[in-house]
Amino acid sequence: MRKFIVAGNWKMNTTPKEGKTLAKAVLKKAKLGKVKVIFGPPFTHLDKIQRLIKGRKGFATAAQNMHQADSGAYTGEISADMIRAIGTKYVIIGHSERRQYFKETNAILLAKTKKALENKRKVIFCCGESLGTREKGTHFQYVIRQLTSTIFKLSPEEFKDIIIAYEPIWAIGTGKTASPEQAQDMHFAIRAAVKKKMGEKLAEKVSILYGGSVKPANALEIFKQPDVDGGLVGGAALNADDFVKIIDAARKTDMGR
Ligand code: PGA
């Protein structure tokens, strides 16, 4: 059985105090069932949120980024070791905003992923095409190529700690979601590629999350798709009620599987 996951990517939002209030409200209201819920706060309060969820079954935290070196003269960066030390289990790697604004290449993303895995962290690895690529009709090749030059270079042993997040760039923060069919078609293609590279067992096991304007109003329809195993949620993760509703949609879908 695949793990159903709802991860909140808070991006550069919330002060430590606001973040704590937000996480507390979710902790209070959310019913998880077997769903895993991950908070991705900024580094300034990752430790605080990690302490808050301690002992709460089903909850975890994610760092939004990390550097690929062990330590050293990298002003402004955070290492895998630091993330590990505070007990944060997950790291988001390869978000389109990191690729676009911070020029993170596939080679850098693979190095980051390997470093995170070496440090026994699980990686939420993002992929997804731009609007131009989708309009050209080359989105399947594009996304599979992103994976071929990164996480498909891992050994099967390493790959088992990977979660894939498919996030079409044109749907991120735009209010425009992929249709359930568009999400399913891409998730199916990704799983088929995983099967070819890593074998059937890992393909069946890997959770593939959808990201891009997931909201309470569309979560259920997207989650119901057979190859969608949860969501990576940006904007709606900043509102406790919305995030709880999305978790609820995940729990209902997961129960029906
Ligand atoms: P969004 O962001 O839900 O605000 O579209 C998703 C993401 O970037 O992970």
Side-chain angles (χ1 to χ4, degrees):
M1 263 292 265
R2 289 201 285 275
K3 193 99 205 132
F4 221 94
I5 298 169
V6 177
N9 175 10
W10 297 2
K11 308 191 182 183
M12 198 171 71
N13 295 296
T14 72
T15 61
K17 195 173 165 199
E18 289 163 351
K20 200 171 166 186
T21 306
L22 171 60
K24 268 190 172 168
V26 175
L27 286 166
K28 198 169 155 199
K29 294 181 194 160
K31 285 199 193 72
L32 271 47
K34 289 200 168 82
V35 172
K36 177 126 233 151
V37 173
I38 303 173
F39 294 121
F43 287 131
T44 45
H45 34 305
L46 190 53
D47 187 29
K48 204 190 250 297
I49 305 298
Q50 177 59 35
R51 284 168 203 261
L52 204 63
I53 61 152
K54 209 164 175 213
R56 290 292 305 263
K57 205 172 163 284
F59 286 95
T61 57
Q64 294 176 20
N65 178 35
M66 55 159 264
H67 196 270
Q68 62 273 28
D70 286 321
S71 64
Y74 300 100
T75 302
E77 292 292 328
I78 302 282
S79 74
D81 199 33
M82 295 169 193
I83 290 164
R84 181 180 187 162
I86 64 169
T88 287
K89 269 263 168 64
Y90 295 82
V91 186
I92 301 170
I93 292 179
H95 192 281
S96 64
E97 287 149 19
R98 299 293 319 172
R99 293 175 189 257
Q100 189 183 344
Y101 306 141
F102 303 97
K103 308 284 175 267
E104 292 187 0
T105 60
N106 284 328
I108 292 172
L109 299 177
L110 177 60
K112 288 187 179 210
T113 302
K114 285 196 164 182
K115 189 54 70 182
L117 295 173
E118 252 175 50
N119 279 275
K120 304 275 178 285
R121 303 305 90 187
K122 291 179 193 282
V123 171
I124 301 174
F125 192 89
C126 305
C127 57
E129 81 286 356
S130 67
L131 185 59
T133 303
R134 178 151 290 256
E135 282 173 348
K136 256 196 286 164
T138 53
H139 44 289
F140 290 110
Q141 296 97 299
Y142 182 87
V143 169
I144 301 304
R145 214 182 314 122
Q146 279 184 322
L147 301 177
T148 307
S149 31
T150 54
I151 54 172
F152 285 175
K153 290 187 190 286
L154 299 170
S155 69
E157 181 54 29
E158 291 171 314
F159 190 84
K160 68 176 186 6
D161 286 323
I162 299 288
I163 292 138
I164 298 173
Y166 167 59
E167 300 203 303
I169 299 168
W170 47 272
I172 296 176
T174 57
K176 227 194 265 173
T177 2
S179 69
E181 295 72 28
Q182 285 173 323
Q184 169 57 24
D185 288 351
M186 184 60 83
H187 284 226
F188 180 85
I190 292 172
R191 199 178 303 284
V194 172
K195 186 174 167 185
K196 224 164 115 189
K197 276 279 166 199
M198 299 285 165
E200 177 143 26
K201 231 168 138 187
L202 281 174
E204 272 314 305
K205 214 186 131 249
V206 65
S207 297
I208 308 178
L209 316 185
Y210 169 80
S213 299
V214 175
K215 308 277 178 234
N218 59 28
L220 196 60
E221 282 311 306
I222 296 172
F223 292 166
K224 271 204 246 159
Q225 302 304 311
D227 285 296
V228 176
D229 309 307
L232 179 55
V233 186
L238 296 171
N239 178 297
D241 288 337
D242 284 355
F243 197 56
V244 166
K245 283 181 194 151
I246 293 169
I247 295 167
D248 214 49
R251 183 178 56 85
K252 284 184 183 139
T253 317
D254 190 41
M255 279 186 338
R257 279 201 172 172

